[in-house]
Amino acid sequence: MTRTAALLLLLLAAPVFAQDRRETFEEAFQSCVEAKAPPIVLVASCTAAIESGRLLPPGLAHTLLVRGFAFKMLKRYDAAGADYDRALEIDPTFVPAMSARADLYAARRDYAAAIKEMDRVIAAQPDRADAFKRRGDYKDWSGQHDAAIADYTAAFEKSKDPKFLAERGAAYANKRDLARAMADLERAIAEAPDYPIGWFERGRVRFEAGDFKGAAADFARAADLDPEDG
């Protein structure tokens, strides 16, 4: 959630918690939108705000989005989907809810629905490089490697972020074009040496090519950069 969106929710939620003597408004608000709060806390606090009936439509849509995120973290996918759907009924142009719903479809491995939802996001915000990247992910995961490569290329052209070259390199590797995969990954590592995906994917390509020593070194570097990624 952007700072602007959070501020909007803060202002619109004020009447909900103004009479709550058990906690300050700041505490109540943070319990709903604080990203580091446990999902169960987000669900409880956002539900209280939603059921109060006092939120104006923009604030209600944002609160449903936050609760949907929490439900997804709890793997309560049906509940998350219902919240995203309701948020989009309130505001059909609410792009964050579209993106969240696309991620939910992908979590369920319904990649066709995820791609269709990202089509809507891109139609609404055609200059968002990250939207092309995410649609590329869904296409790649569903086996549409050429279509994924096109999306990663668009993401790179819009942003010039070498991290997208690493993603494109992975897609080339998935279609067994190891030469192009290596070219993209070498450039990604040279321009973004702290991005672990570049090292991991180059390790995968080296492994596929039989360079086990080189692969091991790349995997080790990826693990050093992101030790929490098993």
Side-chain angles (χ1 to χ4, degrees):
M1 179 179 293
T2 65
R3 181 173 297 181
T4 299
L7 179 59
L8 177 61
L9 180 55
L10 176 68
L11 294 173
L12 294 177
V16 177
F17 300 112
Q19 304 303 318
D20 190 343
R21 297 178 181 275
R22 294 171 298 174
E23 58 185 346
T24 68
F25 167 66
E26 288 288 344
E27 290 169 340
F29 170 71
Q30 287 297 328
S31 69
C32 181
V33 301
E34 175 56 53
K36 295 181 180 179
I40 195 68
V41 172
L42 293 176
V43 168
S45 55
C46 291
T47 297
I50 291 164
E51 292 181 352
S52 73
R54 299 180 183 179
L55 287 173
L56 297 177
L60 178 57
H62 282 287
T63 308
L64 287 163
L65 177 65
V66 174
R67 190 175 70 172
F69 285 147
F71 278 136
K72 182 173 179 288
M73 286 188 283
L74 293 169
K75 299 189 183 303
R76 294 180 58 185
Y77 294 149
D78 288 345
D83 275 354
Y84 298 150
D85 290 346
R86 187 176 169 192
L88 285 165
E89 288 174 3
I90 295 168
D91 180 2
T93 68
F94 190 22
V95 171
M98 296 179 201
S99 298
R101 192 160 66 177
D103 283 340
L104 180 62
Y105 288 139
R108 288 171 152 173
R109 298 189 179 184
D110 186 352
Y111 298 123
I115 291 166
K116 185 176 180 180
E117 199 69 25
M118 287 310 298
D119 289 343
R120 295 180 62 203
V121 172
I122 290 170
Q125 298 180 344
D127 293 327
R128 278 187 57 185
D130 67 298
F132 281 92
K133 185 267 183 190
R134 287 169 63 187
R135 189 175 69 177
D137 289 342
Y138 304 150
K139 290 177 178 178
D140 199 37
W141 298 342
S142 65
Q144 302 176 57
H145 304 311
D146 287 328
I149 287 165
D151 273 350
Y152 293 139
T153 299
F156 176 70
E157 289 176 347
K158 290 177 181 298
S159 67
K160 304 304 180 185
D161 187 338
K163 294 177 182 178
F164 296 131
L165 294 176
E167 308 296 342
R168 190 174 69 181
Y172 275 126
N174 289 337
K175 65 172 292 189
R176 308 293 301 167
D177 189 340
L178 299 186
R180 288 186 178 178
M182 184 59 78
D184 271 352
L185 293 166
E186 293 279 10
R187 183 176 172 188
I189 288 171
E191 297 183 20
D194 294 332
Y195 188 51
I197 298 300
W199 293 94
F200 174 82
E201 292 296 343
R202 190 177 72 172
R204 186 163 68 95
V205 171
R206 284 179 163 174
F207 185 88
E208 296 275 350
D211 179 8
F212 304 126
K213 183 177 180 179
D218 281 350
F219 290 147
R221 180 57 179 155
D224 288 342
L225 289 169
D226 190 2
E228 295 183 3
D229 188 342

